[in-house]
Amino acid sequence: RAALAGLIGRLVARRGQDEDIAGIVALVDQMDAAVAECDPESYFQLNLDFHARLIEVAANPELTVTYERTVKQLLLMRRRGLVQARNIRVSNTEHRRIADALQARDPDAADAAMRAHVESGFRRLIDTARQILEKPKCQQLTRCEQFVITRRRELRRAALWTASPVLFSGLGRHCPAGW
């Protein structure tokens, strides 16, 4: 996904019209407001809009199909990686770097910022999952943690599960019998 995102950033920096990039910057501004209001639900939708707008402005139909197929498989995990206030702040700081690179019309910087954003998001997701697995059974689980645990089968199918089976092998201790 990082390589695809990097290519998207590169294409938008080269092909994007001024009004396209202004619209992307406006989405980052709206995400800033969602961060300030500690509103992860609005932030998540704006995040989807931001990435959808980037792929639209990149204007490469084959890249769009490949990217959307990849993103669809990870959508549930991406949402869970953004539920913590700290995570949405960090994520939007990365969005701002992307927008700055696009405004500067710097394809190399846009590529690097997009790749870094995807890789950082993956690390945030892994950290969130690790925190869930390390939580003692006697502590009450958050909605996010309950979601991850009840979606264990989906996690197994996701690339994340196959990329880090040891991390997720402990999910069973949090799950009811039969999961």
Side-chain angles (χ1 to χ4, degrees):
R1 181 168 171 246
L4 296 172
L7 179 56
I8 291 165
R10 186 172 292 282
L11 291 172
V12 173
R14 286 185 183 148
R15 297 178 178 174
Q17 301 297 313
D18 290 342
E19 59 271 10
D20 295 326
I21 292 175
I24 290 166
V25 170
L27 285 168
V28 175
D29 293 341
Q30 291 174 42
M31 285 186 278
D32 279 339
V35 169
E37 295 169 11
C38 197
D39 183 358
E41 293 298 320
S42 294
Y43 182 87
F44 183 72
Q45 185 57 54
L46 289 164
N47 180 56
L48 293 178
D49 295 346
F50 173 80
H51 288 280
R53 186 67 182 130
L54 288 169
I55 190 69
E56 181 182 332
V57 175
N60 183 314
E62 289 189 32
L63 178 60
T64 299
V65 170
T66 302
Y67 181 80
E68 287 178 350
R69 184 178 331 118
T70 302
V71 168
K72 183 186 277 188
Q73 293 174 351
L74 298 174
L75 183 63
L76 296 174
M77 269 55 87
R78 286 171 67 203
R79 183 180 191 106
R80 295 308 140 205
L82 290 173
V83 296
Q84 298 173 343
R86 180 186 172 282
N87 286 352
I88 64 174
R89 276 193 304 276
V90 171
S91 175
N92 210 46
T93 297
E94 295 163 359
H95 289 153
R96 184 64 65 190
R97 284 188 198 117
I98 293 165
D100 290 347
L102 296 175
Q103 285 182 302
R105 301 296 185 157
D106 185 339
D108 293 333
D111 181 317
M114 289 287 288
R115 285 175 185 260
H117 176 56
V118 170
E119 291 164 1
S120 178
F122 183 76
R123 283 190 302 275
R124 284 190 297 274
L125 179 61
I126 292 293
D127 289 345
T128 299
R130 186 173 286 125
Q131 290 169 7
I132 293 168
L133 294 176
E134 292 172 353
K135 193 171 206 171
K137 281 184 173 181
C138 60
Q139 290 183 6
Q140 186 172 355
L141 298 175
T142 66
R143 285 188 307 146
C144 172
E145 294 164 340
Q146 291 169 358
F147 175 87
V148 170
I149 291 166
T150 59
R151 298 293 197 266
R152 183 173 153 195
R153 289 184 191 127
E154 294 168 35
L155 285 169
R156 280 188 178 142
R157 284 180 265 161
L160 179 61
W161 183 275
T162 58
S164 188
V166 173
L167 176 64
F168 288 101
S169 64
L171 276 176
R173 68 186 160 109
H174 294 288
C175 300
W179 281 89

